[in-house]
């Protein structure tokens, strides 16, 4: 063993390996789980850090040890350099993987790790810092001969027009996400745009510096995965295309890019390697380019971390990028598998978000009762949520990445679409239908994508057919009926709803969106046709109901959680809520009068006429039999009348106070 | 265990004729049920609904658990009488909050839900079923009280309703009154006698005397609400335990009350526990339609019936070669073990009577309920039989049936004549449940026999007095008597008199017996001990 280690050290011609034995993952969700999976396979012990909101999260139980970061906001938890470094020292971790987002591109964090003697799995603090400034990064790249878009500072607009030319893009120097950005097609738009962008950038990023850049029309977002080791080797692992974006966030990514041929690939990847070498890049990084319809490309920026979309590269190269990251961080040189990497087939990734696509991609939250994607041929799922977990509003609402590989692009697209269609996603609304619509879109299938694809095509949750909802409601009702069987004291062979006099009349109402569907036995209001249950199979926590209606057979999978029924079938997915059989009657306290519950003496009157009170607000205190009884407002409202004052004797039923619900009379 | 193999010939003329006739009877039965379901008819139902009220059947449906079966009792009560078929009341057994209960609902669309003598009979039978089977009772109350023109036949016996309700309570059988409307005068004692009462706001009226009566009695001016409204009874008199805002709220509260009863059934329950699913019969129950004789002179093999009723068609016959006119043996229905006594060839001889007696004693030894499948024309008559002591043997059987304390369930699947009705556990012998197929007939004897007996007696009387016998008048009288007896032995007629608990579709026999057996197991299932089994 000893001689082997010595040999490795000698062959690398470098310092002895900084072998990682315990790795702290300074991140959460799917990427934390993803990193730990590889670490564990390499024999590395893993440590998670978690906020209070993530105390029960999957990635925490995936780790061997975990350290709590008190609080829920990122600023109090995952962005706290000091707490994370402290967690590493508490647990004896010797390395830190930052994942993506949070502190992954935070030079100060990389430096703090280094100072604490921790191996930071990523590039050096210096590189992170250099690439953090877009202006500085562009300058370095331009010097190294990498094509960059002509740009100019915003202080001299005349000069800027001369160097850049229209159309232009005004951009914040320290920012992203589309904020502090303006398009200008003439001088007037330019001056207005600069002012607006400065204002927005100052508000959003605390620095109003903007610069001007050539605008590329119908651009595509193409990036190259690069890898550098401590021994000066820099390689690329081909390109990825991430043009399908919504609000400047990638939704669908793939590799290779359908817009890149072999010649362009050579140019792009060489430019990326040149760019990485120019800054002495170590570990995994991504060089982003903008590609125009004529095949011209310009450098955008370097992402000094593992990308969300790294799995597509893994699927076409067969490499484990996290393993490469960890090996490089240990000081190992990039091995033959990486140096001789080749592309095989095509991979596409879809980001499944908890969001309401029709409401401007508004994030949704709530409990995920089930998230199950079948791992069919070529399909991979990187998920961050276990069944029963809650999507909180504190962090990114990405539920999972579903990735499909195929020997050809259209096969990968079809596999991915099928995996999404058949997935059981039981919980808050997601962008699943949007993803499927993109993957099925002819324009996408021809590869004609650019960053405006989703703005151009109003895709999304097409309203599902009423017939689908009716059939799904029927399946839900049948499954619910089956689930109730065990609660009956009668022998199971007695038919449900059996009557010797006339048919049973026990309608069940479901709500689907704003619609109500009434099911009574096998009859669904608005659904005609002879229905038959072909098969009914109870599963572990769900049911398969095979319906037949006029000879058409449809197997439905039904998952019941409380009053919710999630139904999946070939026709789609429906979430139904069973309405209560006995609606709780509205609280109607007769005309808002509060009556004395017993004879007594008024000890205190705490309100005056006209006062606004909330439900639970103490109005009057009665004293009776040596005890004080608080008379509280039963609802929000305005005190309309006070009939008693302190010292008054009351009988049972004496009206004490009248609280008006509407507050119309006193306003 | 032995498995009955029974095949029927689907193109056999008798089979086809039976089937056709049975379907016609079922259609006639369904026609009556249609009327029963319609309550007081569209006009009164519409008026009731217009007041924002639920019908009796809607109340029952809401009270029952989702998917619960409902075994309605005596649906044809008052058939063939001056009263509305159904008896202006709905009674039955269903599951409420996971507990099998007897449900009794007044139908206010039939003459205001007033009670006539048959309403009373049906109501009392439901209470009896609750008592002997230890089933909680839920009353859905909205009744105008006594149907006053019939008070002579009603007033005195009607007191038993309150007697029985409080007796149930004393036996530890819970009673609940959900009051949706009028419950006045005598009716006021229904919530008064029940363990739990819920009154619906602005609807329930529970008082001994209404404003006019109070005015007449004492001169006091009063209104309904202060005399008997839900608010008053919930806040002042305390008669109402819960104040319901509306009918749904009332039923919801009623279901909660039942859920909180912490009810445990006392019977051993089905073999293999509640989770096991007993196998269905090997033969198709649909074939029962062609098996049961519509012409009751034609006997049929009860094993063909059992093969379509009992679990897996399994039947272990007891004394198969002795007293073969009565089939006895062991089986299970929906997992509940039962002993079966079924007539094979109508008549009971000495051997059959003794076999039955022994079998009933055996069932009591092993705490097993008995199912009587009647198709019986009576005990054998004739010189040889009388001299051999048929009365004594019949008496043994009637003694055994009477004093057996395991639950008895009776299904009349054909004839039910003479003392055979008694020996085979007719109504007077207190079966826990008694159901009849629509082809069945129940009378002291067959119409022809009865008419013939009367004719012979008349002829003898004429001869005795030396009068000439008017053959023509006799023929007319015989025909009239035959017609009368035919009518009075008809299943609907007897069901109308509440001599059974309802007419059932033969195909439903297994389900009905399963529900009845489950109900029976709410109480202890125990036989009589004391003597050993007498070998007759």
């Amino acid at each position: 063993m000893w001689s082997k280690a010595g040999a490795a050290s000698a062959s690398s011609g470098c310092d002895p390996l900084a072998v990682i034995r315990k790795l702290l993952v300074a991140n959460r969700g799917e990427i934390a789980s993803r990193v730990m999976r590889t670490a564990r396979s390499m024999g590395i012990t893993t440590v998670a850090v978690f906020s209070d909101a993530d105390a029960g999260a999957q990635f925490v139980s995936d780790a061997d040890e975990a350290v709590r970061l008190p609080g829920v906001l990122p600023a109090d938890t995952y962005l706290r350099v000091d707490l994370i470094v402290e967690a590493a020292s508490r647990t004896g971790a010797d390395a830190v993987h930052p994942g993506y987002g949070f502190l992954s591109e935070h030079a100060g964090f990389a430096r703090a790790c280094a100072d604490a003697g921790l191996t930071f799995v990523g590039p050096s603090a210096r590189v992170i810092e250099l690439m953090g400034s877009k202006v500085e990064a562009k300058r370095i790249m331009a010097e190294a001969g990498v094509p960059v878009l002509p740009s100019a500072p915003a202080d001299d607009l005349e000069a800027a027009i001369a160097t850049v030319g229209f159309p232009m893009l005004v951009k914040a120097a320290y920012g992203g996400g589309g904020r502090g950005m303006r398009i200008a097609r003439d001088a007037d738009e330019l001056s207005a745009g600069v002012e607006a962008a400065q204002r927005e950038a100052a508000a959003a990023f605390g620095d109003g510096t903007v610069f001007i850049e050539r605008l590329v029309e119908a651009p595509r977002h193409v990036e190259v995965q690069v890898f550098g080791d401590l021994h000066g080797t820099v390689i690329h692992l081909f390109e990825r295309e991430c043009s399908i974006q919504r609000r400047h966030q990638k939704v669908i990514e793939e590799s290779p890019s359908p817009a890149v041929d072999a010649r362009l690939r050579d140019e792009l990847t060489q430019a990326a390697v040149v760019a990485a070498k120019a800054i002495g890049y170590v570990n995994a990084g991504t060089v982003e380019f903008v590609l125009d319809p004529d095949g011209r490309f310009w450098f955008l920026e370097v992402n000094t971390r593992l990308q969300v979309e790294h799995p597509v590269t893994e699927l076409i190269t067969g490499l484990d990028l996290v393993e490469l990251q960890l090996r490089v961080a240990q000081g190992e040189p990039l091995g033959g598998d990486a140096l001789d990497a080749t592309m095989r087939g095509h991979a596409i990734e879809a980001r499944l978000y908890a969001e309401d696509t029709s409401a401007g991609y508004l994030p949704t939250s709530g409990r995920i009762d089930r998230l199950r994607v079948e791992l069919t041929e070529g399909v991979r799922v990187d998920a961050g949520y276990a069944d029963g977990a809650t999507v909180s509003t504190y962090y990114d609402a990405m539920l999972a990445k579903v990735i499909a590989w195929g020997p050809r692009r259209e096969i990968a697209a079809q596999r991915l679409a099928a995996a999404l269609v058949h997935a059981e996603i039981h919980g808050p609304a997601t962008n699943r239908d949007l993803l499927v619509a993109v993957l099925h879109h002819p324009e996408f299938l021809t590869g004609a994508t650019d960053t405006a694809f989703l703005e151009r095509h109003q895709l999304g949750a097409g309203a599902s057919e009423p017939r689908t909802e009716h059939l799904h409601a029927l399946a839900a009702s049948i499954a619910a009926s089956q689930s109730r069987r065990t609660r009956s004291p009668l022998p199971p062979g007695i038919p449900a709803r059996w009557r010797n006099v006339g048919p049973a009349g026990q309608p069940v109402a479901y709500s689907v969106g704003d619609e109500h569907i009434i099911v009574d036995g096998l009859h669904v209001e608005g659904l005609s046709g002879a229905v038959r249950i072909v098969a009914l199979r109870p599963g572990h926590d769900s049911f398969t109901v095979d319906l037949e209606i006029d000879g058409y057979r449809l197997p439905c999978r039904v998952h019941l959680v409380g009053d919710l029924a999630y139904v999946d079938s070939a026709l789609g997915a429906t979430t139904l809520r069973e309405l209560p059989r006995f609606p709780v009657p509205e609280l109607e306290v007769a005309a808002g009068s509060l009556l004395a519950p017993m004879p007594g003496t008024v000890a205190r009157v705490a309100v005056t006429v006209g006062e606004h009170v909330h439900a639970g607000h103490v109005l009057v205190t009665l004293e009776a039999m040596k005890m004080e009884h608080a008379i509280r407002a039963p609802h929000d409202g305005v005190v309309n009348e006070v009939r008693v004052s302190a010292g008054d004797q009351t009988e049972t039923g004496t009206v004490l106070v009248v609280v008006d619900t509407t507050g119309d009379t006193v306003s | 265990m032995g498995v009955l193999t029974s095949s029927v010939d689907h193109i056999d003329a008798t089979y086809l004729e039976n089937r056709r006739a049975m379907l016609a009877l079922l259609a006639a039965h369904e026609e009556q049920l249609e009327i029963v379901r319609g309550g007081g008819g569209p006009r009164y139902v519409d008026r009731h609904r217009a007041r924002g009220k639920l019908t009796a059947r809607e109340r029952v449906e809401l009270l029952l658990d989702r998917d619960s079966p409902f075994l309605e009792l005596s649906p044809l009560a008052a058939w063939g009488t001056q009263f509305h078929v159904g008896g202006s009341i709905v009674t039955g057994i269903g599951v409420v909050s996971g507990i099998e209960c007897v449900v009794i609902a007044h139908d206010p669309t039939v003459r205001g839900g007033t009670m006539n003598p048959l309403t009373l009979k049906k109501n009392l039978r439901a209470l009896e079923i609750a008592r002997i089977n230890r089933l909680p009772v839920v009353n859905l109350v909205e009744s105008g009280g006594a149907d006053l023109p019939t008070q002579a036949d009603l007033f005195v016996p009607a007191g038993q309703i309150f007697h029985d309700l409080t007796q149930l309570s004393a036996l530890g059988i819970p009673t609940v009154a959900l009051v949706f409307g009028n419950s006045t005068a005598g009716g006021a004692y229904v919530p008064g006698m029940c363990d739990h009462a819920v009154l619906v706001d602005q609807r329930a009226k529970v008082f001994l005397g209404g404003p006019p009566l109070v005015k007449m009695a004492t001169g006091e001016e009063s209104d309904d609400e202060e005399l008997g409204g839900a608010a008053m009874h919930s806040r002042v008199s305390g008669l109402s335990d819960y104040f319901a805002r509306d009918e749904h709220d009332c039923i919801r509260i009623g279901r909660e009350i039942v859920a909180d009863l912490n009810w445990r059934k006392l019977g051993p329950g089905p073999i293999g526990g509640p989770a096991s699913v007993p196998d269905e019969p090997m033969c198709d129950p649909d074939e029962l339609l062609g098996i049961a004789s519509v012409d009751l002179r034609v006997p049929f093999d009860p094993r063909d019936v059992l093969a379509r009723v009992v679990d897996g068609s399994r039947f272990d016959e007891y004394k198969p070669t002795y007293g073969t006119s009565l089939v006895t043996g062991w089986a299970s229905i929906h997992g509940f073990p039962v002993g079966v006594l079924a007539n094979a060839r109508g008549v009971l001889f000495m051997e059959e009577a003794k076999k039955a007696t022994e079998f009933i004693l055996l069932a009591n030894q092993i705490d097993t309920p008995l199912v009587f499948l009647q198709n019986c024309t009576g005990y054998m008559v004739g010189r040889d039989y009388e001299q051999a002591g048929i009365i004594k043997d019949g008496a043994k059987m009637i003694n055994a049936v009477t004093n057996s304390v395991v639950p008895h369930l009776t299904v009349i699947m054909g004839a039910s004549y003479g003392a055979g009705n008694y020996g085979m556990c007719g109504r007077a012998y207190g079966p826990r449940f008694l159901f009849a197929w629509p082809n069945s007939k129940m009378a002291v004897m067959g119409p022809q026999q009865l008419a013939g007996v009367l004719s012979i007696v008349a002829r003898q009387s004429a001869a005795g007095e030396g009068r000439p016998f008017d053959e023509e008048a006799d023929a007319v009288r015989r025909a009239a008597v035959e017609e009368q007896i035919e009518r009075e032995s008809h299943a609907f007629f007897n069901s109308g008199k509440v001599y059974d608990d309802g007419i059932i579709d033969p195909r439903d026999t297994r389900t009905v017996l399963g529900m009845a057996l489950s109900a029976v197991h709410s109480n202890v299932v125990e036989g009589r001990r004391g003597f050993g089994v007498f070998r007759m």
Side-chain angles (χ1 to χ4, degrees):
Chain A
M1 289 306 288
W2 189 90
S3 62
K4 213 172 176 183
S9 166
S11 72
S12 72
C14 219
D15 292 339
L17 294 184
V19 174
I20 299 173
R21 295 211 162 75
K22 192 182 252 190
L23 176 71
L24 182 142
V25 182
N27 214 301
R28 61 177 300 283
E30 67 87 18
I31 192 60
S33 294
R34 159 76 192 90
V35 170
M36 289 178 207
R37 191 167 65 234
T38 292
R40 174 156 304 177
S41 75
M42 294 170 70
I44 298 170
T45 305
T46 55
V47 180
V49 287
F50 63 94
S51 73
D52 291 340
D54 282 337
Q58 180 64 43
F59 73 91
V60 183
S61 35
D62 286 348
D64 296 307
E65 298 165 42
V67 177
R68 176 185 168 217
L69 304 175
V72 290
L73 298 175
D76 298 332
T77 54
Y78 300 107
L79 292 174
R80 284 285 294 272
V81 173
D82 54 339
L83 292 183
I84 290 169
V85 172
E86 190 194 316
S89 72
R90 252 177 92 178
T91 52
D94 43 30
V96 172
H97 193 299
Y100 55 71
F102 294 123
L103 295 173
S104 62
E105 293 178 283
H106 188 288
F109 182 52
R111 195 166 287 124
C113 286
D115 291 350
L118 297 163
T119 302
F120 180 78
V121 183
S124 65
R126 183 190 63 86
V127 168
I128 296 173
E129 216 155 47
L130 280 178
M131 294 299 107
S133 158
K134 287 179 186 169
V135 179
E136 184 62 8
K138 277 185 71 170
R139 190 189 59 75
I140 295 170
M141 294 306 157
E143 275 178 15
V146 179
V148 297
L149 282 170
S151 65
D155 42 16
D156 185 346
L157 297 185
E158 299 263 325
I161 292 169
T163 23
V164 179
F166 291 107
M168 296 173 170
L169 190 62
V170 184
K171 276 169 97 174
Y174 304 92
R179 280 187 296 180
M181 249 191 219
R182 284 292 184 282
I183 290 169
R185 294 182 190 280
D186 56 40
D188 287 350
E189 278 185 16
L190 181 62
S191 52
V194 167
E195 258 176 58
Q198 280 170 336
R199 224 175 20 248
E200 221 171 274
F205 313 113
D207 185 325
T209 310
V210 298
F211 67 100
I212 295 158
E213 196 176 72
R214 166 78 61 75
L215 174 74
V216 179
E217 308 258 22
R220 300 174 75 115
H221 178 112
V222 178
E223 61 188 29
V224 176
Q225 176 71 51
V226 295
F227 241 103
D229 65 17
L230 286 164
H231 312 277
T233 307
V234 175
I235 61 158
H236 73 85
L237 295 172
F238 313 106
E239 83 282 0
R240 292 185 288 257
E241 159 135 17
C242 320
S243 295
I244 308 286
Q245 303 184 351
R246 55 119 174 100
R247 304 171 128 203
H248 303 280
Q249 272 206 324
K250 300 164 186 173
V251 178
I252 289 181
E253 301 109 328
E254 59 187 303
S255 182
S257 162
V260 174
D261 59 15
R263 188 192 55 78
L264 182 54
R265 180 165 301 119
D266 276 347
E267 290 176 28
L268 270 169
T269 53
Q270 283 324 302
V273 169
V274 166
K277 281 189 168 160
I279 48 175
Y281 200 87
V282 173
N283 216 302
T286 296
V287 185
E288 292 190 346
F289 295 99
V290 58
L291 179 70
D292 81 358
D294 302 324
R296 291 178 298 170
F297 62 89
W298 297 272
F299 169 84
L300 273 183
E301 60 177 325
V302 176
N303 290 316
T304 55
R305 56 173 155 88
L306 189 69
Q307 295 278 85
V308 177
E309 58 272 23
H310 74 275
V312 294
T313 300
E314 295 186 323
L315 288 190
I316 61 151
T317 59
L319 295 167
D320 180 334
L321 296 196
V322 174
E323 185 185 340
L324 286 183
Q325 280 195 296
L326 293 170
R327 293 206 181 287
V328 164
Q330 293 187 136
E332 288 183 43
L334 285 162
D337 51 349
L339 296 173
D340 305 332
T342 53
M343 290 195 312
R344 199 182 129 262
H346 199 101
I348 308 177
E349 170 181 285
R351 298 191 192 184
L352 187 66
Y353 281 100
E355 65 185 15
D356 186 345
T357 52
S358 58
Y361 306 104
L362 208 66
T364 55
S365 59
R367 199 182 123 97
I368 302 174
D369 291 311
R370 178 181 294 168
L371 178 55
R372 202 163 292 171
V373 186
E374 214 184 325
L375 296 178
T376 44
E377 181 73 25
V379 173
R380 162 175 166 180
V381 179
D382 285 12
Y385 289 90
D387 291 355
T390 301
V391 184
S392 78
T393 48
Y394 300 113
Y395 317 111
D396 184 65
M398 190 174 75
L399 299 182
K401 304 183 302 202
V402 184
I403 314 108
W405 179 90
R408 294 195 312 276
R409 183 171 184 266
E410 59 272 27
I411 294 173
Q414 190 156 354
R415 283 177 174 174
L416 181 55
L420 288 166
V421 164
H422 294 134
E424 295 182 348
I425 305 168
H426 301 164
T430 70
N431 63 340
R432 180 227 315 247
D433 291 348
L434 174 79
L435 296 171
V436 173
V438 172
L439 293 165
H440 283 160
H441 199 279
E443 203 169 291
F444 175 83
L445 291 174
T446 58
T449 54
D450 61 57
T451 55
F453 181 89
L454 286 179
E455 285 159 40
R456 198 160 54 242
H457 305 289
Q458 294 301 311
L459 303 173
S464 69
E465 292 274 318
R467 188 179 157 80
T468 299
E469 293 179 347
H470 285 143
L471 285 169
H472 285 181
L474 181 58
S477 146
I478 291 165
S481 168
Q482 182 64 25
S483 77
R484 283 191 289 263
R485 295 292 290 173
T486 52
R487 278 178 257 158
S488 170
L490 291 167
I494 306 281
R497 302 164 59 89
W498 181 84
R499 298 286 182 272
N500 53 334
V501 180
Q506 292 192 321
V508 181
Y510 289 98
S511 69
V512 184
D514 302 333
E515 301 293 314
H516 284 190
I517 301 174
I518 313 285
V519 186
D520 199 351
L522 287 183
H523 177 77
V524 185
E525 261 180 31
L527 182 74
S528 56
V531 176
R532 201 162 72 86
I533 305 169
V534 180
L536 173 55
R537 291 181 297 278
H540 168 58
D541 52 358
S542 53
F543 298 84
T544 308
V545 182
D546 292 4
L547 291 176
E548 195 178 282
I549 177 161
D550 289 341
Y552 167 74
R553 195 174 284 193
L554 180 71
C556 300
R557 286 161 292 149
V558 184
H559 179 203
L560 301 171
V561 185
D563 57 355
L564 287 178
Y566 300 103
V567 186
D568 295 278
S569 80
L571 299 181
T574 309
T575 303
L576 303 115
R577 185 178 292 277
E578 186 182 317
L579 298 178
R581 200 177 173 200
F582 298 98
V584 178
E586 281 173 43
L587 278 173
E588 316 166 25
V589 178
S593 306
L594 290 162
L595 311 179
M598 60 179 68
T601 311
V602 177
R604 281 179 299 282
V605 176
V607 289
T608 52
V609 171
E611 199 170 325
H612 287 260
V613 291
H614 295 290
H617 196 129
V618 176
L619 308 173
V620 172
T621 308
L622 281 184
E623 198 181 282
M625 296 299 288
K626 298 178 213 124
M627 293 177 78
E628 289 202 342
H629 304 269
I631 309 300
R632 295 169 188 277
H635 47 71
D636 295 356
V638 175
V639 177
N640 246 4
E641 282 181 62
V642 176
R643 299 253 190 106
V644 290
S645 49
D648 284 1
Q649 293 290 316
T650 63
E651 290 303 317
T652 304
T654 303
V655 174
L656 306 172
V657 177
V658 179
V659 178
D660 193 89
T661 31
T662 61
D664 284 348
T665 44
V666 183
S667 51
Chain B
M1 237 183 172
V3 175
L4 295 168
T5 49
S6 157
S7 58
V8 293
D9 184 354
H10 285 239
I11 52 164
D12 175 71
T14 312
Y15 176 88
L16 289 173
E17 173 53 23
N18 281 339
R19 189 180 168 85
R20 187 201 58 73
M22 184 67 89
L23 286 171
L25 284 166
L26 287 170
H29 184 233
E30 183 54 36
E31 216 171 273
Q32 295 305 309
L33 295 183
E34 184 76 43
I35 299 170
V36 170
R37 280 196 297 271
R43 191 177 138 213
Y44 292 101
V45 169
D46 290 348
R47 195 174 71 182
H48 184 74
R49 285 226 176 83
R51 292 173 179 158
K53 293 181 163 202
L54 298 168
T55 66
R57 285 172 189 278
E58 287 165 348
R59 288 171 185 161
V60 172
E61 292 284 359
L62 266 174
L63 176 71
L64 297 177
D65 288 359
R66 274 186 173 156
D67 304 327
S68 164
F70 188 60
L71 175 59
E72 197 164 323
L73 299 166
S74 327
L76 252 48
W79 184 90
T81 70
Q82 64 181 107
F83 305 110
H84 193 280
V85 61
S88 67
I89 194 170
V90 179
T91 64
I93 295 174
V95 182
V96 179
S97 299
I99 296 165
E100 288 152 282
C101 293
V102 164
V103 180
I104 301 172
H106 298 128
D107 186 345
T109 65
V110 184
R111 293 174 63 84
T114 52
M115 173 173 286
N116 59 53
L118 284 155
T119 318
L120 174 66
K121 211 169 172 194
K122 180 169 172 175
N123 195 341
L124 289 177
R125 174 59 183 162
L127 290 172
E128 182 180 26
I129 283 175
R131 179 169 49 77
I132 58 184
N133 296 299
R134 192 175 161 272
L135 298 167
V137 177
V138 183
N139 293 282
L140 307 178
V141 183
E142 181 169 14
S143 165
D147 182 41
L148 290 175
T150 65
Q151 70 86 26
D153 294 327
L154 183 74
F155 166 64
V156 172
Q160 200 182 340
I161 290 189
F162 319 127
H163 167 277
D164 286 5
L165 280 172
T166 191
Q167 186 187 35
L168 285 171
S169 184
L171 291 168
I173 301 171
T175 49
V176 181
L178 307 180
V179 185
F180 298 94
N182 281 323
S183 177
T184 56
Y189 285 108
V190 173
M193 302 320 295
C194 284
D195 295 349
H196 307 272
V198 188
L199 269 58
V200 176
D201 187 23
Q202 301 299 321
R203 295 286 165 89
K205 283 185 191 25
V206 184
F207 40 63
L208 295 181
L213 195 145
V214 170
K215 174 82 176 156
M216 288 304 295
T218 66
E220 187 186 27
E221 296 282 351
S222 53
D223 65 31
D224 282 353
E225 270 298 304
E226 59 189 4
L227 285 176
M232 188 285 283
H233 280 307
S234 303
R235 295 196 168 108
V236 182
S237 80
L239 173 70
S240 164
D241 305 311
Y242 302 91
F243 173 83
R245 289 171 199 287
D246 54 29
E247 294 205 13
H248 280 80
D249 195 33
C250 184
I251 295 169
R252 181 185 63 78
I253 295 168
R255 288 176 49 80
E256 280 176 3
I257 290 170
V258 175
D260 292 336
L261 292 176
N262 300 324
W263 193 246
R264 302 276 183 282
K265 294 174 76 169
L266 300 180
I271 310 158
S276 72
V277 183
D279 46 352
E280 293 290 307
M282 307 290 283
C283 305
D284 187 355
D286 187 67
E287 293 167 344
L288 289 171
L289 296 179
I291 289 170
S293 292
V294 172
D295 179 353
L296 295 184
R297 288 170 304 184
V298 181
F300 55 93
D301 190 342
R303 295 175 195 86
D304 287 339
V305 174
L306 289 169
R308 287 157 183 84
V309 171
V310 302
D311 296 344
S313 303
R314 285 183 303 276
F315 184 62
D316 278 349
E317 196 165 339
Y318 168 77
K319 281 193 200 286
T321 54
Y322 179 85
T324 53
S325 191
L326 179 76
V327 172
T328 52
W330 310 106
S332 66
I333 298 173
H334 285 287
F336 296 104
V338 291
V340 178
L341 298 96
N343 303 108
R345 280 187 308 279
V347 188
L348 296 167
F349 300 91
M350 281 82 74
E351 290 83 356
E352 280 74 12
K354 288 187 281 190
K355 176 178 171 179
T357 307
E358 280 191 32
F359 187 70
I360 291 168
L361 294 177
L362 284 173
N364 274 268
Q365 291 290 99
I366 58 171
D367 305 329
T368 300
L370 289 169
V371 174
F372 295 82
L373 300 180
Q374 282 197 16
N375 184 15
C376 186
T377 51
Y379 290 94
M380 194 60 197
V381 295
R383 186 187 310 114
D384 291 352
Y385 301 99
E386 298 290 4
Q387 292 183 358
I390 182 84
I391 296 175
K392 292 204 297 171
D393 289 330
K396 291 185 185 99
M397 181 171 167
I398 291 173
N399 182 339
V401 168
T402 302
N403 294 303
S404 159
V405 294
V406 294
H408 294 176
L409 307 175
T410 303
V411 176
I412 304 174
M413 48 179 199
S416 182
Y417 292 134
N421 169 283
Y422 307 161
M424 289 297 288
C425 202
R427 172 60 112 207
Y429 288 77
R432 300 285 186 92
F433 292 94
L434 188 152
F435 295 99
W437 288 1
N439 57 317
S440 66
K441 292 197 161 56
M442 184 157 50
V444 64
M445 60 185 81
Q448 292 90 0
Q449 290 87 341
L450 198 145
V453 167
L454 285 182
S455 165
I456 291 165
V457 171
R459 194 183 298 272
Q460 286 171 344
S461 161
E465 291 169 17
R467 300 187 265 112
F469 187 65
D470 184 346
E471 293 289 346
E472 220 167 274
D474 180 62
V476 172
R477 198 166 53 236
R478 273 179 78 146
V481 168
E482 234 176 89
E483 193 273 328
Q484 181 206 334
I485 303 308
E486 186 69 45
R487 181 165 46 79
E488 289 180 356
S489 55
H490 193 283
F492 293 6
F493 180 86
N494 285 300
S495 210
K497 287 192 162 319
V498 197
Y499 285 149
D500 61 28
D501 295 316
I503 291 169
I504 58 169
D505 185 325
R507 292 169 291 191
D508 287 338
T509 305
R510 176 177 165 78
T511 300
V512 169
L513 288 176
M515 283 198 70
L517 283 163
S518 185
V520 151
H521 278 249
S522 285
N523 209 338
V524 287
V525 176
E526 258 175 23
R528 185 179 291 278
R529 302 288 196 282
F531 284 102
V533 174
F534 289 104
R535 304 304 306 248
M536 300 290 161

